[in-house]
Amino acid sequence: MLRTSLSLLRRHALAPRLLRAGLRTSAQRRSGNPPMDFPCIDKLESRQRDLLSGPEPTYEKIVTGYQTYQHPSPFTCDHGGQLTGMRIAYETWGTPNPEKSNAILIHTGLSGSSHARSHELNRNPGWWEKFIGPGLAIDTNKFYVICTNVIGGCYGSTGPSSLDESGARYATTFPLLTVNDMVRAQFHLMDYLGIRKLHASVGASMGGMQSLCAAALHSERVGRLVTISACARSHPYSIALRFAQRQALMSDPNFNRGHYYDGVQPHVGMKLARSIATVTYRSGPEWELRFGRRRQKPDQPPALCPDFLIETYLDHQSERFCLQYDANSLLYVSKAMDMFDISHSVTQRLERQRTEKQTACTSVCMDASEQPASEEGHSGVETGDEIMADLVRGVSSAMQPTLVLGVQSDILFPVRQQKEIADILRRAGNTKVTYYELDAMYGHDTFLIDVVNVGAAIKGHLENSD
C-alpha cells in the first residue's frame, strides 16, 4: 500500500514541471513578455522529489555522543497523558566533586540539543562552545556541567518522533507538554546522577524559562539562578510570532496532521516557520550594517526569489534547518513556551491537573468558579495588580542569588520582560538579584554571540562566593 502511494506521489511530482512549461509558453504567447524564473520554487520541487525517493531524516543521528537516562516509571504530563519509558539525552563536561555540589544544569532553547560543547565522543563544536570549558564563563575546571535535550525534542530525548509502546511513532498522539514538565523530567535525571542540589541552573530564551522554573519550583535543589533573555510568562507578541510559525508549518500539504513519518517531511512549512523565527532572533540595526539594501546580483533585473542579501540570508538559514529538526517537536515545544507562566495560580492548577490525572483540559484553563472577578487586564481574568501579585507568589521560594540578563535590541523577549523577572523576585523578598541590560545589536541571539559581555556576567555570578 505504502509503495503504491509513493509511486503515485512520484508520478504526481512530475506534474508541476509539465504544467509550468505549458503555462510559461501560453503566457509568453499572450503578452509577448518573457516569463519570470522561479529558481527558489524549482529547488523546493527538487527536494520534494528527492524526499520521495530517499530515506526519511533520522534526527537522532544529527547529534551524537550523548548519554541516555530512561525513567523507570510512567511520566505523567501536566495536561494529561503519560510517557512510558521516557528517555532524556544528556551530555556532561568537567568532574563532579565528592559531594556533587559543583553541578551546573544548562537548559536549552527551543531547538537546542544536549551538545552544548565538544568532547571526545562528539568533536563537533557545541551551540555554546565558547562559553563552556576550562577557564571559560562556565569553567569546567571548577564545575560539573550537564546539558539535556528537553523532552518533546528530537535529539535523543522522548518526543513526537519517538516510538510509543506499540512500536509506532507518537506523532501528534504525543501529549501536550509544559516547561514545568521539561524541568521535572530534568530533576529525575539529577536524581539518577546523584545530584541533590545544583550549584546553579542556567538558561537563555526557553532555557531561561526553565532555569526560572527550576529555581521557583525546586528551590531547595538550586543554589544559583541565571536567566537570560527570558520571561516570567509568555506575552502576546511572542505568542503571536510562534503561532505564525506553527500555522505556516501545519499548512504544508505534507504535514498530514503530524503523521508524516512514513512519507515526505513538511519541509516547505518548516522552512517558512524558520524564516519567520530567524527574523525574531536578530535585530534591524545588525542587518542594516551587515546587509543594508544590497542585492545578490545587482547587475541583473530584480527577482521574486531571494534577491536582496537579507533574503538570501533568511533563505540559507531556513534551508539548513528544515530537515534537521522534527516538525512535530517544533509544534510541541513552541506551544509549551506559549503556555509558560510562573504565576502561583497557574502552577497550582497544573499540579492539580497532573495529580488528579485530568486529561479533559488541554490548555491552561480555569473553571468559571475559579476565575476572580476583575475589571481589566489579563484576558478579562485579572487586573494588572492581580497579575503581579500572582507572579510574586509564584517565585516566593526562589531566594537564590540571581542573575537576570536582557538585551536592548531583543524583539522576541524585550527587556521589559527581564525587568519583570527581576522585579517579581525582589518583591518576593530576594535581596540578591542582579539585573544587567546589554546594549548589543545582535537581538535575541546575543546570548549565543556576545562571549565577552554575556560570558563575563555569567562567570562572575557563578564564581561569586556570596
Side-chain angles (χ1 to χ4, degrees):
M1 180 68 178
L2 177 59
R3 192 172 299 170
T4 302
S5 298
L6 289 176
S7 176
L8 288 171
L9 284 170
R10 291 190 187 100
R11 198 178 309 157
H12 290 159
L14 297 174
R17 283 188 289 175
L18 298 174
L19 178 61
R20 185 169 65 247
L23 290 174
R24 284 165 63 96
T25 302
S26 174
Q28 190 165 7
R29 285 174 181 166
R30 287 198 312 271
S31 70
N33 297 321
M36 184 73 73
D37 287 328
F38 290 92
C40 53
I41 297 179
D42 293 340
K43 184 188 293 186
L44 295 177
E45 291 173 351
S46 175
R47 185 167 62 227
Q48 175 86 357
R49 292 191 294 272
D50 291 342
L51 290 172
L52 283 167
S53 58
E56 63 185 72
T58 305
Y59 307 107
E60 295 88 346
K61 293 182 179 179
I62 292 173
V63 178
T64 60
Y66 54 78
Q67 303 177 68
T68 305
Y69 160 71
Q70 183 165 343
H71 194 51
S73 57
F75 181 86
T76 303
C77 301
D78 283 337
H79 289 306
Q82 290 188 331
L83 299 175
T84 301
M86 178 193 71
R87 299 185 314 278
I88 300 177
Y90 68 98
E91 298 176 46
T92 66
W93 303 265
T95 305
N97 61 21
E99 299 80 19
K100 297 186 177 180
S101 61
N102 66 333
I104 293 177
L105 178 59
I106 306 293
H107 307 272
T108 73
L110 189 157
S111 59
S113 72
S114 58
H115 192 60
R117 178 178 168 82
S118 57
H119 50 78
E120 289 186 1
L121 297 178
N122 185 345
R123 297 191 180 278
N124 293 323
W127 57 266
W128 235 14
E129 185 76 17
K130 295 181 180 180
F131 289 82
I132 302 170
L136 299 184
I138 303 175
D139 191 346
T140 51
N141 289 332
K142 299 178 179 179
F143 301 113
Y144 178 53
V145 183
I146 307 154
C147 185
T148 78
N149 177 224
V150 297
I151 58 171
C154 58
Y155 295 140
S157 294
T158 298
S161 61
S162 303
L163 301 180
D164 62 19
E165 291 180 274
S166 71
R169 304 268 193 174
Y170 276 104
T172 44
T173 67
F174 197 78
L176 280 175
L177 294 174
T178 64
V179 170
N180 304 33
D181 287 327
M182 297 171 185
V183 172
R184 282 191 299 110
Q186 290 165 346
F187 275 101
H188 285 308
L189 171 63
M190 297 304 103
D191 293 338
Y192 169 74
L193 295 175
I195 297 169
R196 186 182 62 83
K197 184 175 182 178
L198 295 165
H199 176 74
S201 175
V202 179
S205 189
M206 187 185 79
M209 296 177 177
Q210 293 171 69
S211 62
L212 178 61
C213 181
L217 305 188
H218 305 269
S219 55
E220 74 287 354
R221 303 191 65 175
V222 177
R224 290 175 180 271
L225 166 62
V226 177
T227 176
I228 306 168
S229 297
C231 62
R233 56 193 174 110
S234 283
H235 290 247
Y237 182 73
S238 62
I239 292 172
L241 289 167
R242 288 187 289 268
F243 171 77
Q245 294 172 50
R246 291 194 297 271
Q247 289 294 295
L249 169 52
M250 292 188 290
S251 297
D252 189 316
N254 292 317
F255 177 64
N256 193 31
R257 289 174 167 76
H259 295 273
Y260 49 77
Y261 295 107
D262 292 326
V264 176
Q265 310 295 301
H267 58 101
V268 177
M270 280 292 279
K271 183 174 180 178
L272 292 172
R274 188 61 172 185
S275 293
I276 297 169
T278 303
V279 172
T280 73
Y281 294 156
R282 305 304 274 260
S283 78
E286 180 203 0
W287 285 350
E288 286 284 355
L289 288 175
R290 188 172 174 184
F291 305 115
R293 288 180 45 81
R294 295 189 298 278
R295 294 174 56 221
Q296 184 179 27
K297 298 178 180 179
D299 57 334
Q300 295 187 12
L304 295 178
C305 283
D307 182 20
F308 286 97
L309 291 186
I310 182 59
E311 295 175 329
T312 63
Y313 170 79
L314 290 176
D315 186 65
H316 173 71
Q317 292 295 322
S318 56
E319 186 76 22
R320 286 176 52 203
F321 182 79
C322 68
L323 292 178
Q324 297 223 336
Y325 192 72
D326 181 41
N328 282 329
S329 285
L330 179 61
L331 296 179
Y332 277 82
V333 178
S334 69
K335 188 64 180 181
M337 292 179 72
D338 288 355
M339 294 187 293
F340 179 67
D341 187 340
I342 203 65
S343 299
H344 175 76
S345 63
V346 172
T347 300
Q348 291 300 304
R349 188 159 61 251
L350 291 176
E351 290 181 356
R352 186 167 61 249
Q353 283 181 190
R354 187 178 70 254
T355 302
E356 298 174 356
K357 296 183 179 180
Q358 294 175 343
T359 58
C361 182
T362 56
S363 63
V364 179
C365 56
M366 283 185 176
D367 294 331
S369 60
E370 295 180 292
Q371 296 181 358
S374 63
E375 299 175 357
E376 58 175 291
H378 188 53
S379 302
V381 174
E382 298 168 305
T383 66
D385 288 343
E386 288 171 333
I387 292 171
M388 185 58 67
D390 202 1
L391 287 169
V392 170
R393 286 189 68 194
V395 298
S396 59
S397 297
M399 295 294 114
Q400 307 90 341
T402 298
L403 172 64
V404 183
L405 280 181
V407 179
Q408 291 177 3
S409 59
D410 190 342
I411 63 170
L412 184 59
F413 288 83
V415 290
R416 67 178 182 276
Q417 297 180 19
Q418 290 86 62
K419 289 177 180 177
E420 183 175 68
I421 294 174
D423 188 26
I424 62 173
L425 287 168
R426 288 166 177 157
R427 290 194 190 193
N430 189 331
T431 60
K432 297 180 179 180
V433 178
T434 300
Y435 173 74
Y436 288 144
E437 191 172 296
L438 301 179
D439 183 16
M441 70 166 63
Y442 305 112
H444 187 63
D445 275 355
T446 296
F447 75 90
L448 296 170
I449 299 169
D450 193 346
V451 178
V452 173
N453 293 303
V454 175
I458 294 173
K459 187 175 182 67
H461 183 70
L462 294 179
E463 298 181 11
N464 193 317
S465 58
D466 291 343

